[in-house]
Amino acid sequence: MNEIIKNIEAAQLKEAAPQFRVGDTVKVYGKIKEGNRERIQVFEGTVLKQQGGGARATFTVRKFSNGVGVEKTWPLHSPNVERVEVVRRGKVRRAKLNYLRQRVGKRAKVKELVR
């Protein structure tokens, strides 16, 4: 890759990237702009996947809202992601949890990792 692009992407990285893995239940504090006001909205759910690397890294979180599955994908180093807080660690054996999309209720849960 071109050196200029590498330098630009390195400048956009966060100093302390949040540490979480696939299967963890996380709270994502995202900035929402409404008109000229800005507020923070919390999105809590299970991490389905992490993709990419460097400044282009993204992660997808899935939750159930009023009985409907909702997924959101955020760039890991975005300024719109205030912080990511791990609620509980999940025990999974896969890199991408796409099978959770067909499951509802208790079947959609991930076992907790006990250390």
Side-chain angles (χ1 to χ4, degrees):
M1 195 184 307
N2 195 351
E3 283 298 318
I4 299 169
I5 296 173
K6 283 184 183 178
N7 293 336
I8 292 170
E9 286 186 351
Q12 293 175 346
L13 295 178
K14 287 184 180 177
E15 303 85 37
Q19 297 296 317
F20 58 89
R21 303 217 297 272
V22 173
D24 293 352
T25 301
V26 295
K27 284 184 182 178
V28 181
Y29 292 82
K31 292 181 184 175
I32 305 290
K33 281 193 174 183
E34 294 173 333
N36 57 357
R37 296 171 42 139
E38 190 175 284
R39 65 183 177 87
I40 293 177
Q41 185 174 10
V42 180
F43 190 92
E44 182 176 348
T46 305
V47 178
L48 287 188
K49 61 184 175 180
Q50 288 181 308
Q51 288 183 304
R56 302 175 191 185
T58 61
F59 64 100
T60 301
V61 180
R62 180 178 176 86
K63 75 171 184 176
F64 275 93
S65 178
N66 297 323
V68 179
V70 179
E71 288 183 20
K72 248 182 170 180
T73 302
W74 283 282
L76 187 61
H77 296 282
S78 170
N80 290 332
V81 176
E82 183 79 16
R83 69 181 195 268
V84 179
E85 182 181 303
V86 178
V87 176
R88 60 189 276 264
R89 298 275 180 197
K91 180 182 178 186
V92 294
R93 299 170 68 177
R94 307 208 174 287
K96 296 197 168 46
L97 306 180
N98 294 324
Y99 66 90
L100 288 180
R101 291 178 175 147
Q102 284 81 39
R103 299 191 179 182
V104 180
K106 284 187 178 180
R107 295 185 68 211
K109 280 190 174 180
V110 174
K111 288 184 182 177
E112 188 165 3
L113 181 65
V114 180
R115 289 189 179 184

